[in-house]
Amino acid sequence: MKITIWSDFVCPFCFIGEAHLNGALETFEHANDVEIEYKSFQLMPDGEYVPGKEYAETFSDMKGMPLGQAEAMLKQVTESASRSGVEINYDIAKLANTFDAHRVFQYAKERGKGNEFFQRAYVAHFTEGEVLSDTDTIVRLAEEVGLDGAEVRQLIEKRENTEKVEQDISEARAVGVQGVPFFVIDNKYAVSGAQPVEAFSQVLNQVWEEEHVKK
Amino acid sequence: MEKEILNNPTSEKPADSDNKLQSLSGIQLVDFGGSTGLVCDVETGFCGPINQKEEDEK
């Protein structure tokens, strides 16, 4: 069984959704037969790191959302994360453009380190307050998952893998993705959003049954 | 498990559509009914419960 996930490092419900999916996989009898493939998506392609500005303020300015509404949304997200055992610290998190990090993710993916890099980037952004648009930061995170820092730096500077990121985003549009995270199972069924663990369990079991038991 | 067709078969495919993209057409979205799923909207950037988002759009 293959699960394809469109996600962005700065998407809180992608971070939470991954935790829920992992929770479902813990009790899924055939978890060892599940392959997970991440695909790039940019939730905030116009996102830009503004030093000294609070996350909510940057988000409010970027989206034209009243500051109070942005603060309430982030508070609700943080509470949802906490209930799922996911640590989100918007008091230190830095809103930033993720395109360079996605280009490095594509490089990581080609070397079998894509999922590891994705998970490392989630934690770096939401828990540790790292700036994901900063080249030195991306290189360091890549090295932490076992990638060649010099190659990663060169890739960023030469703006390589741009087309691969854009291809993933185009595929998302072709599928009709309107929100992330977005999960596609075996190119047949889609799950939109961070659904509860039980919902993921239900889908995993049902798809497995359809594909194996009923044949 | 109720499902609905996610893709509009009459919708125009992007010019750069290839075999990989075509193989993704016809994917069925799983409908969890009263689910409290959480999603970040691509257009607005709003992140919240799916049901709440739909209410806000009304």
PDB file of all heavy atoms in Angstrom, chain A residues 147-182:
ATOM      1  N   LEU A 147      22.714  13.958   4.911  1.00  0.00           N
ATOM      2  CA  LEU A 147      22.981  14.409   3.539  1.00  0.00           C
ATOM      3  C   LEU A 147      24.283  15.209   3.480  1.00  0.00           C
ATOM      4  O   LEU A 147      24.770  15.690   4.500  1.00  0.00           O
ATOM      5  CB  LEU A 147      21.804  15.265   3.042  1.00  0.00           C
ATOM      6  CG  LEU A 147      20.473  14.512   2.926  1.00  0.00           C
ATOM      7  CD1 LEU A 147      19.326  15.490   2.711  1.00  0.00           C
ATOM      8  CD2 LEU A 147      20.517  13.485   1.797  1.00  0.00           C
ATOM      9  N   ASP A 148      24.802  15.339   2.275  1.00  0.00           N
ATOM     10  CA  ASP A 148      26.059  16.047   2.055  1.00  0.00           C
ATOM     11  C   ASP A 148      25.810  17.563   2.061  1.00  0.00           C
ATOM     12  O   ASP A 148      25.170  18.094   1.155  1.00  0.00           O
ATOM     13  CB  ASP A 148      26.643  15.601   0.701  1.00  0.00           C
ATOM     14  CG  ASP A 148      28.018  16.194   0.453  1.00  0.00           C
ATOM     15  OD1 ASP A 148      28.182  17.426   0.643  1.00  0.00           O
ATOM     16  OD2 ASP A 148      28.923  15.447   0.072  1.00  0.00           O
ATOM     17  N   GLY A 149      26.310  18.222   3.085  1.00  0.00           N
ATOM     18  CA  GLY A 149      26.061  19.649   3.249  1.00  0.00           C
ATOM     19  C   GLY A 149      26.560  20.499   2.086  1.00  0.00           C
ATOM     20  O   GLY A 149      25.893  21.444   1.671  1.00  0.00           O
ATOM     21  N   ALA A 150      27.721  20.140   1.567  1.00  0.00           N
ATOM     22  CA  ALA A 150      28.297  20.925   0.471  1.00  0.00           C
ATOM     23  C   ALA A 150      27.420  20.812  -0.782  1.00  0.00           C
ATOM     24  O   ALA A 150      27.172  21.805  -1.477  1.00  0.00           O
ATOM     25  CB  ALA A 150      29.712  20.436   0.171  1.00  0.00           C
ATOM     26  N   GLU A 151      26.946  19.606  -1.057  1.00  0.00           N
ATOM     27  CA  GLU A 151      26.063  19.414  -2.221  1.00  0.00           C
ATOM     28  C   GLU A 151      24.750  20.164  -2.045  1.00  0.00           C
ATOM     29  O   GLU A 151      24.219  20.749  -2.986  1.00  0.00           O
ATOM     30  CB  GLU A 151      25.778  17.913  -2.418  1.00  0.00           C
ATOM     31  CG  GLU A 151      26.914  17.163  -3.082  1.00  0.00           C
ATOM     32  CD  GLU A 151      26.532  15.724  -3.439  1.00  0.00           C
ATOM     33  OE1 GLU A 151      25.337  15.390  -3.486  1.00  0.00           O
ATOM     34  OE2 GLU A 151      27.457  14.947  -3.655  1.00  0.00           O
ATOM     35  N   VAL A 152      24.230  20.131  -0.822  1.00  0.00           N
ATOM     36  CA  VAL A 152      22.962  20.814  -0.539  1.00  0.00           C
ATOM     37  C   VAL A 152      23.119  22.320  -0.723  1.00  0.00           C
ATOM     38  O   VAL A 152      22.277  22.990  -1.329  1.00  0.00           O
ATOM     39  CB  VAL A 152      22.474  20.476   0.887  1.00  0.00           C
ATOM     40  CG1 VAL A 152      21.334  21.399   1.321  1.00  0.00           C
ATOM     41  CG2 VAL A 152      22.029  19.025   0.968  1.00  0.00           C
ATOM     42  N   ARG A 153      24.226  22.850  -0.230  1.00  0.00           N
ATOM     43  CA  ARG A 153      24.464  24.289  -0.368  1.00  0.00           C
ATOM     44  C   ARG A 153      24.558  24.676  -1.848  1.00  0.00           C
ATOM     45  O   ARG A 153      24.000  25.691  -2.284  1.00  0.00           O
ATOM     46  CB  ARG A 153      25.754  24.674   0.367  1.00  0.00           C
ATOM     47  CG  ARG A 153      26.022  26.180   0.399  1.00  0.00           C
ATOM     48  CD  ARG A 153      27.259  26.501   1.219  1.00  0.00           C
ATOM     49  NE  ARG A 153      27.113  26.147   2.624  1.00  0.00           N
ATOM     50  CZ  ARG A 153      26.465  26.903   3.520  1.00  0.00           C
ATOM     51  NH1 ARG A 153      25.952  28.056   3.161  1.00  0.00           N
ATOM     52  NH2 ARG A 153      26.369  26.517   4.775  1.00  0.00           N
ATOM     53  N   GLN A 154      25.251  23.852  -2.600  1.00  0.00           N
ATOM     54  CA  GLN A 154      25.404  24.124  -4.032  1.00  0.00           C
ATOM     55  C   GLN A 154      24.036  24.083  -4.744  1.00  0.00           C
ATOM     56  O   GLN A 154      23.733  24.911  -5.591  1.00  0.00           O
ATOM     57  CB  GLN A 154      26.342  23.090  -4.651  1.00  0.00           C
ATOM     58  CG  GLN A 154      26.762  23.416  -6.064  1.00  0.00           C
ATOM     59  CD  GLN A 154      27.733  22.379  -6.613  1.00  0.00           C
ATOM     60  OE1 GLN A 154      27.603  21.174  -6.374  1.00  0.00           O
ATOM     61  NE2 GLN A 154      28.720  22.845  -7.338  1.00  0.00           N
ATOM     62  N   LEU A 155      23.250  23.096  -4.349  1.00  0.00           N
ATOM     63  CA  LEU A 155      21.904  22.946  -4.937  1.00  0.00           C
ATOM     64  C   LEU A 155      21.063  24.203  -4.694  1.00  0.00           C
ATOM     65  O   LEU A 155      20.368  24.694  -5.584  1.00  0.00           O
ATOM     66  CB  LEU A 155      21.243  21.724  -4.303  1.00  0.00           C
ATOM     67  CG  LEU A 155      19.818  21.334  -4.681  1.00  0.00           C
ATOM     68  CD1 LEU A 155      19.657  19.838  -4.491  1.00  0.00           C
ATOM     69  CD2 LEU A 155      18.765  22.049  -3.866  1.00  0.00           C
ATOM     70  N   ILE A 156      21.143  24.715  -3.465  1.00  0.00           N
ATOM     71  CA  ILE A 156      20.361  25.918  -3.131  1.00  0.00           C
ATOM     72  C   ILE A 156      20.875  27.108  -3.937  1.00  0.00           C
ATOM     73  O   ILE A 156      20.087  27.860  -4.528  1.00  0.00           O
ATOM     74  CB  ILE A 156      20.448  26.213  -1.611  1.00  0.00           C
ATOM     75  CG1 ILE A 156      19.771  25.092  -0.814  1.00  0.00           C
ATOM     76  CG2 ILE A 156      19.795  27.556  -1.286  1.00  0.00           C
ATOM     77  CD1 ILE A 156      19.974  25.176   0.686  1.00  0.00           C
ATOM     78  N   GLU A 157      22.183  27.253  -3.972  1.00  0.00           N
ATOM     79  CA  GLU A 157      22.756  28.415  -4.660  1.00  0.00           C
ATOM     80  C   GLU A 157      22.492  28.374  -6.162  1.00  0.00           C
ATOM     81  O   GLU A 157      22.312  29.410  -6.793  1.00  0.00           O
ATOM     82  CB  GLU A 157      24.256  28.489  -4.364  1.00  0.00           C
ATOM     83  CG  GLU A 157      24.522  28.932  -2.912  1.00  0.00           C
ATOM     84  CD  GLU A 157      25.973  28.781  -2.473  1.00  0.00           C
ATOM     85  OE1 GLU A 157      26.803  28.264  -3.270  1.00  0.00           O
ATOM     86  OE2 GLU A 157      26.267  29.170  -1.341  1.00  0.00           O
ATOM     87  N   LYS A 158      22.462  27.184  -6.732  1.00  0.00           N
ATOM     88  CA  LYS A 158      22.219  27.061  -8.179  1.00  0.00           C
ATOM     89  C   LYS A 158      20.735  26.939  -8.513  1.00  0.00           C
ATOM     90  O   LYS A 158      20.371  26.773  -9.671  1.00  0.00           O
ATOM     91  CB  LYS A 158      22.975  25.840  -8.728  1.00  0.00           C
ATOM     92  CG  LYS A 158      24.482  26.035  -8.742  1.00  0.00           C
ATOM     93  CD  LYS A 158      25.155  24.887  -9.475  1.00  0.00           C
ATOM     94  CE  LYS A 158      26.643  25.157  -9.644  1.00  0.00           C
ATOM     95  NZ  LYS A 158      27.344  24.026 -10.283  1.00  0.00           N
ATOM     96  N   ARG A 159      19.920  26.998  -7.477  1.00  0.00           N
ATOM     97  CA  ARG A 159      18.456  26.924  -7.627  1.00  0.00           C
ATOM     98  C   ARG A 159      18.034  25.681  -8.404  1.00  0.00           C
ATOM     99  O   ARG A 159      17.154  25.730  -9.276  1.00  0.00           O
ATOM    100  CB  ARG A 159      17.915  28.204  -8.287  1.00  0.00           C
ATOM    101  CG  ARG A 159      18.276  29.463  -7.498  1.00  0.00           C
ATOM    102  CD  ARG A 159      17.397  30.632  -7.808  1.00  0.00           C
ATOM    103  NE  ARG A 159      16.015  30.393  -7.451  1.00  0.00           N
ATOM    104  CZ  ARG A 159      15.541  30.430  -6.204  1.00  0.00           C
ATOM    105  NH1 ARG A 159      16.346  30.653  -5.192  1.00  0.00           N
ATOM    106  NH2 ARG A 159      14.269  30.222  -5.971  1.00  0.00           N
ATOM    107  N   GLU A 160      18.636  24.561  -8.041  1.00  0.00           N
ATOM    108  CA  GLU A 160      18.277  23.291  -8.692  1.00  0.00           C
ATOM    109  C   GLU A 160      16.986  22.718  -8.089  1.00  0.00           C
ATOM    110  O   GLU A 160      16.569  23.109  -7.019  1.00  0.00           O
ATOM    111  CB  GLU A 160      19.428  22.279  -8.530  1.00  0.00           C
ATOM    112  CG  GLU A 160      20.665  22.662  -9.325  1.00  0.00           C
ATOM    113  CD  GLU A 160      21.883  21.814  -8.969  1.00  0.00           C
ATOM    114  OE1 GLU A 160      21.737  20.839  -8.220  1.00  0.00           O
ATOM    115  OE2 GLU A 160      22.982  22.161  -9.425  1.00  0.00           O
ATOM    116  N   ASN A 161      16.407  21.780  -8.795  1.00  0.00           N
ATOM    117  CA  ASN A 161      15.192  21.056  -8.359  1.00  0.00           C
ATOM    118  C   ASN A 161      13.933  21.916  -8.338  1.00  0.00           C
ATOM    119  O   ASN A 161      12.910  21.490  -7.797  1.00  0.00           O
ATOM    120  CB  ASN A 161      15.375  20.410  -6.971  1.00  0.00           C
ATOM    121  CG  ASN A 161      16.232  19.160  -7.034  1.00  0.00           C
ATOM    122  OD1 ASN A 161      16.589  18.716  -8.114  1.00  0.00           O
ATOM    123  ND2 ASN A 161      16.546  18.601  -5.899  1.00  0.00           N
ATOM    124  N   THR A 162      14.008  23.092  -8.912  1.00  0.00           N
ATOM    125  CA  THR A 162      12.823  23.958  -8.953  1.00  0.00           C
ATOM    126  C   THR A 162      11.671  23.261  -9.682  1.00  0.00           C
ATOM    127  O   THR A 162      10.529  23.269  -9.209  1.00  0.00           O
ATOM    128  CB  THR A 162      13.168  25.287  -9.661  1.00  0.00           C
ATOM    129  OG1 THR A 162      14.146  25.947  -8.865  1.00  0.00           O
ATOM    130  CG2 THR A 162      11.951  26.179  -9.807  1.00  0.00           C
ATOM    131  N   GLU A 163      11.989  22.651 -10.823  1.00  0.00           N
ATOM    132  CA  GLU A 163      10.930  22.007 -11.617  1.00  0.00           C
ATOM    133  C   GLU A 163      10.283  20.848 -10.873  1.00  0.00           C
ATOM    134  O   GLU A 163       9.082  20.603 -11.026  1.00  0.00           O
ATOM    135  CB  GLU A 163      11.492  21.517 -12.956  1.00  0.00           C
ATOM    136  CG  GLU A 163      11.750  22.653 -13.930  1.00  0.00           C
ATOM    137  CD  GLU A 163      12.339  22.169 -15.239  1.00  0.00           C
ATOM    138  OE1 GLU A 163      12.483  20.946 -15.409  1.00  0.00           O
ATOM    139  OE2 GLU A 163      12.655  23.024 -16.076  1.00  0.00           O
ATOM    140  N   LYS A 164      11.078  20.142 -10.079  1.00  0.00           N
ATOM    141  CA  LYS A 164      10.519  18.997  -9.343  1.00  0.00           C
ATOM    142  C   LYS A 164       9.501  19.464  -8.300  1.00  0.00           C
ATOM    143  O   LYS A 164       8.466  18.827  -8.097  1.00  0.00           O
ATOM    144  CB  LYS A 164      11.642  18.197  -8.674  1.00  0.00           C
ATOM    145  CG  LYS A 164      12.496  17.456  -9.683  1.00  0.00           C
ATOM    146  CD  LYS A 164      13.687  16.793  -9.031  1.00  0.00           C
ATOM    147  CE  LYS A 164      14.570  16.172 -10.104  1.00  0.00           C
ATOM    148  NZ  LYS A 164      15.861  15.737  -9.597  1.00  0.00           N
ATOM    149  N   VAL A 165       9.820  20.567  -7.644  1.00  0.00           N
ATOM    150  CA  VAL A 165       8.880  21.118  -6.663  1.00  0.00           C
ATOM    151  C   VAL A 165       7.611  21.580  -7.374  1.00  0.00           C
ATOM    152  O   VAL A 165       6.492  21.281  -6.957  1.00  0.00           O
ATOM    153  CB  VAL A 165       9.513  22.296  -5.882  1.00  0.00           C
ATOM    154  CG1 VAL A 165       8.497  22.911  -4.916  1.00  0.00           C
ATOM    155  CG2 VAL A 165      10.747  21.838  -5.130  1.00  0.00           C
ATOM    156  N   GLU A 166       7.808  22.287  -8.484  1.00  0.00           N
ATOM    157  CA  GLU A 166       6.650  22.798  -9.231  1.00  0.00           C
ATOM    158  C   GLU A 166       5.798  21.662  -9.782  1.00  0.00           C
ATOM    159  O   GLU A 166       4.573  21.770  -9.865  1.00  0.00           O
ATOM    160  CB  GLU A 166       7.126  23.728 -10.353  1.00  0.00           C
ATOM    161  CG  GLU A 166       7.676  25.045  -9.787  1.00  0.00           C
ATOM    162  CD  GLU A 166       8.328  25.931 -10.840  1.00  0.00           C
ATOM    163  OE1 GLU A 166       8.619  25.417 -11.942  1.00  0.00           O
ATOM    164  OE2 GLU A 166       8.551  27.118 -10.552  1.00  0.00           O
ATOM    165  N   GLN A 167       6.459  20.563 -10.166  1.00  0.00           N
ATOM    166  CA  GLN A 167       5.727  19.398 -10.679  1.00  0.00           C
ATOM    167  C   GLN A 167       4.811  18.820  -9.598  1.00  0.00           C
ATOM    168  O   GLN A 167       3.643  18.489  -9.857  1.00  0.00           O
ATOM    169  CB  GLN A 167       6.718  18.337 -11.162  1.00  0.00           C
ATOM    170  CG  GLN A 167       6.103  17.002 -11.557  1.00  0.00           C
ATOM    171  CD  GLN A 167       5.273  17.081 -12.828  1.00  0.00           C
ATOM    172  OE1 GLN A 167       5.447  18.004 -13.624  1.00  0.00           O
ATOM    173  NE2 GLN A 167       4.373  16.138 -13.013  1.00  0.00           N
ATOM    174  N   ASP A 168       5.328  18.702  -8.380  1.00  0.00           N
ATOM    175  CA  ASP A 168       4.513  18.188  -7.272  1.00  0.00           C
ATOM    176  C   ASP A 168       3.296  19.085  -7.037  1.00  0.00           C
ATOM    177  O   ASP A 168       2.176  18.605  -6.815  1.00  0.00           O
ATOM    178  CB  ASP A 168       5.338  18.128  -5.975  1.00  0.00           C
ATOM    179  CG  ASP A 168       6.218  16.888  -5.893  1.00  0.00           C
ATOM    180  OD1 ASP A 168       6.201  16.090  -6.843  1.00  0.00           O
ATOM    181  OD2 ASP A 168       6.919  16.740  -4.873  1.00  0.00           O
ATOM    182  N   ILE A 169       3.529  20.376  -7.079  1.00  0.00           N
ATOM    183  CA  ILE A 169       2.434  21.332  -6.821  1.00  0.00           C
ATOM    184  C   ILE A 169       1.412  21.273  -7.957  1.00  0.00           C
ATOM    185  O   ILE A 169       0.197  21.333  -7.724  1.00  0.00           O
ATOM    186  CB  ILE A 169       3.008  22.758  -6.621  1.00  0.00           C
ATOM    187  CG1 ILE A 169       3.879  22.783  -5.353  1.00  0.00           C
ATOM    188  CG2 ILE A 169       1.885  23.786  -6.521  1.00  0.00           C
ATOM    189  CD1 ILE A 169       4.675  24.062  -5.152  1.00  0.00           C
ATOM    190  N   SER A 170       1.897  21.108  -9.200  1.00  0.00           N
ATOM    191  CA  SER A 170       0.985  20.972 -10.341  1.00  0.00           C
ATOM    192  C   SER A 170       0.133  19.717 -10.204  1.00  0.00           C
ATOM    193  O   SER A 170      -1.065  19.728 -10.509  1.00  0.00           O
ATOM    194  CB  SER A 170       1.770  20.894 -11.660  1.00  0.00           C
ATOM    195  OG  SER A 170       2.406  22.103 -11.907  1.00  0.00           O
ATOM    196  N   GLU A 171       0.759  18.642  -9.755  1.00  0.00           N
ATOM    197  CA  GLU A 171       0.011  17.392  -9.556  1.00  0.00           C
ATOM    198  C   GLU A 171      -1.087  17.590  -8.527  1.00  0.00           C
ATOM    199  O   GLU A 171      -2.209  17.096  -8.696  1.00  0.00           O
ATOM    200  CB  GLU A 171       0.946  16.276  -9.071  1.00  0.00           C
ATOM    201  CG  GLU A 171       1.711  15.592 -10.175  1.00  0.00           C
ATOM    202  CD  GLU A 171       2.527  14.419  -9.628  1.00  0.00           C
ATOM    203  OE1 GLU A 171       2.075  13.753  -8.687  1.00  0.00           O
ATOM    204  OE2 GLU A 171       3.638  14.207 -10.137  1.00  0.00           O
ATOM    205  N   ALA A 172      -0.772  18.324  -7.475  1.00  0.00           N
ATOM    206  CA  ALA A 172      -1.775  18.585  -6.433  1.00  0.00           C
ATOM    207  C   ALA A 172      -2.972  19.314  -7.030  1.00  0.00           C
ATOM    208  O   ALA A 172      -4.127  18.976  -6.755  1.00  0.00           O
ATOM    209  CB  ALA A 172      -1.150  19.408  -5.308  1.00  0.00           C
ATOM    210  N   ARG A 173      -2.687  20.292  -7.860  1.00  0.00           N
ATOM    211  CA  ARG A 173      -3.782  21.047  -8.489  1.00  0.00           C
ATOM    212  C   ARG A 173      -4.595  20.142  -9.407  1.00  0.00           C
ATOM    213  O   ARG A 173      -5.821  20.227  -9.467  1.00  0.00           O
ATOM    214  CB  ARG A 173      -3.220  22.222  -9.286  1.00  0.00           C
ATOM    215  CG  ARG A 173      -2.600  23.280  -8.388  1.00  0.00           C
ATOM    216  CD  ARG A 173      -2.505  24.629  -9.088  1.00  0.00           C
ATOM    217  NE  ARG A 173      -1.849  25.602  -8.225  1.00  0.00           N
ATOM    218  CZ  ARG A 173      -0.582  25.995  -8.353  1.00  0.00           C
ATOM    219  NH1 ARG A 173       0.156  25.526  -9.335  1.00  0.00           N
ATOM    220  NH2 ARG A 173      -0.064  26.855  -7.514  1.00  0.00           N
ATOM    221  N   ALA A 174      -3.896  19.254 -10.121  1.00  0.00           N
ATOM    222  CA  ALA A 174      -4.582  18.344 -11.051  1.00  0.00           C
ATOM    223  C   ALA A 174      -5.509  17.391 -10.299  1.00  0.00           C
ATOM    224  O   ALA A 174      -6.579  17.036 -10.792  1.00  0.00           O
ATOM    225  CB  ALA A 174      -3.554  17.559 -11.859  1.00  0.00           C
ATOM    226  N   VAL A 175      -5.080  16.996  -9.114  1.00  0.00           N
ATOM    227  CA  VAL A 175      -5.901  16.090  -8.309  1.00  0.00           C
ATOM    228  C   VAL A 175      -7.084  16.837  -7.694  1.00  0.00           C
ATOM    229  O   VAL A 175      -8.115  16.255  -7.393  1.00  0.00           O
ATOM    230  CB  VAL A 175      -5.033  15.438  -7.194  1.00  0.00           C
ATOM    231  CG1 VAL A 175      -5.872  14.595  -6.265  1.00  0.00           C
ATOM    232  CG2 VAL A 175      -3.957  14.575  -7.813  1.00  0.00           C
ATOM    233  N   GLY A 176      -6.927  18.153  -7.538  1.00  0.00           N
ATOM    234  CA  GLY A 176      -8.008  18.946  -6.967  1.00  0.00           C
ATOM    235  C   GLY A 176      -7.795  19.280  -5.506  1.00  0.00           C
ATOM    236  O   GLY A 176      -8.749  19.537  -4.772  1.00  0.00           O
ATOM    237  N   VAL A 177      -6.530  19.278  -5.092  1.00  0.00           N
ATOM    238  CA  VAL A 177      -6.225  19.575  -3.692  1.00  0.00           C
ATOM    239  C   VAL A 177      -6.603  21.030  -3.371  1.00  0.00           C
ATOM    240  O   VAL A 177      -6.158  21.944  -4.033  1.00  0.00           O
ATOM    241  CB  VAL A 177      -4.716  19.353  -3.411  1.00  0.00           C
ATOM    242  CG1 VAL A 177      -4.368  19.792  -1.992  1.00  0.00           C
ATOM    243  CG2 VAL A 177      -4.354  17.896  -3.614  1.00  0.00           C
ATOM    244  N   GLN A 178      -7.432  21.182  -2.339  1.00  0.00           N
ATOM    245  CA  GLN A 178      -7.833  22.528  -1.909  1.00  0.00           C
ATOM    246  C   GLN A 178      -7.302  22.853  -0.523  1.00  0.00           C
ATOM    247  O   GLN A 178      -7.438  23.973  -0.054  1.00  0.00           O
ATOM    248  CB  GLN A 178      -9.357  22.647  -1.925  1.00  0.00           C
ATOM    249  CG  GLN A 178      -9.918  22.548  -3.338  1.00  0.00           C
ATOM    250  CD  GLN A 178     -11.421  22.646  -3.371  1.00  0.00           C
ATOM    251  OE1 GLN A 178     -12.091  22.297  -2.405  1.00  0.00           O
ATOM    252  NE2 GLN A 178     -11.957  23.113  -4.476  1.00  0.00           N
ATOM    253  N   GLY A 179      -6.751  21.842   0.107  1.00  0.00           N
ATOM    254  CA  GLY A 179      -6.198  22.062   1.432  1.00  0.00           C
ATOM    255  C   GLY A 179      -5.188  20.982   1.753  1.00  0.00           C
ATOM    256  O   GLY A 179      -5.228  19.894   1.170  1.00  0.00           O
ATOM    257  N   VAL A 180      -4.281  21.293   2.663  1.00  0.00           N
ATOM    258  CA  VAL A 180      -3.275  20.312   3.070  1.00  0.00           C
ATOM    259  C   VAL A 180      -3.347  20.121   4.583  1.00  0.00           C
ATOM    260  O   VAL A 180      -3.787  21.033   5.289  1.00  0.00           O
ATOM    261  CB  VAL A 180      -1.852  20.740   2.645  1.00  0.00           C
ATOM    262  CG1 VAL A 180      -1.640  20.510   1.168  1.00  0.00           C
ATOM    263  CG2 VAL A 180      -1.564  22.206   2.979  1.00  0.00           C
ATOM    264  N   PRO A 181      -2.974  18.939   5.083  1.00  0.00           N
ATOM    265  CA  PRO A 181      -2.379  17.833   4.328  1.00  0.00           C
ATOM    266  C   PRO A 181      -3.423  17.138   3.459  1.00  0.00           C
ATOM    267  O   PRO A 181      -4.610  17.208   3.722  1.00  0.00           O
ATOM    268  CB  PRO A 181      -1.895  16.883   5.433  1.00  0.00           C
ATOM    269  CG  PRO A 181      -2.865  17.117   6.554  1.00  0.00           C
ATOM    270  CD  PRO A 181      -3.164  18.576   6.513  1.00  0.00           C
ATOM    271  N   PHE A 182      -2.912  16.455   2.437  1.00  0.00           N
ATOM    272  CA  PHE A 182      -3.792  15.713   1.540  1.00  0.00           C
ATOM    273  C   PHE A 182      -3.134  14.357   1.292  1.00  0.00           C
ATOM    274  O   PHE A 182      -2.001  14.278   0.831  1.00  0.00           O
ATOM    275  CB  PHE A 182      -3.958  16.483   0.225  1.00  0.00           C
ATOM    276  CG  PHE A 182      -5.092  15.971  -0.615  1.00  0.00           C
ATOM    277  CD1 PHE A 182      -6.395  16.405  -0.399  1.00  0.00           C
ATOM    278  CD2 PHE A 182      -4.859  15.066  -1.639  1.00  0.00           C
ATOM    279  CE1 PHE A 182      -7.446  15.942  -1.173  1.00  0.00           C
ATOM    280  CE2 PHE A 182      -5.902  14.594  -2.421  1.00  0.00           C
ATOM    281  CZ  PHE A 182      -7.201  15.036  -2.187  1.00  0.00           C
TER     282      PHE A 182
END
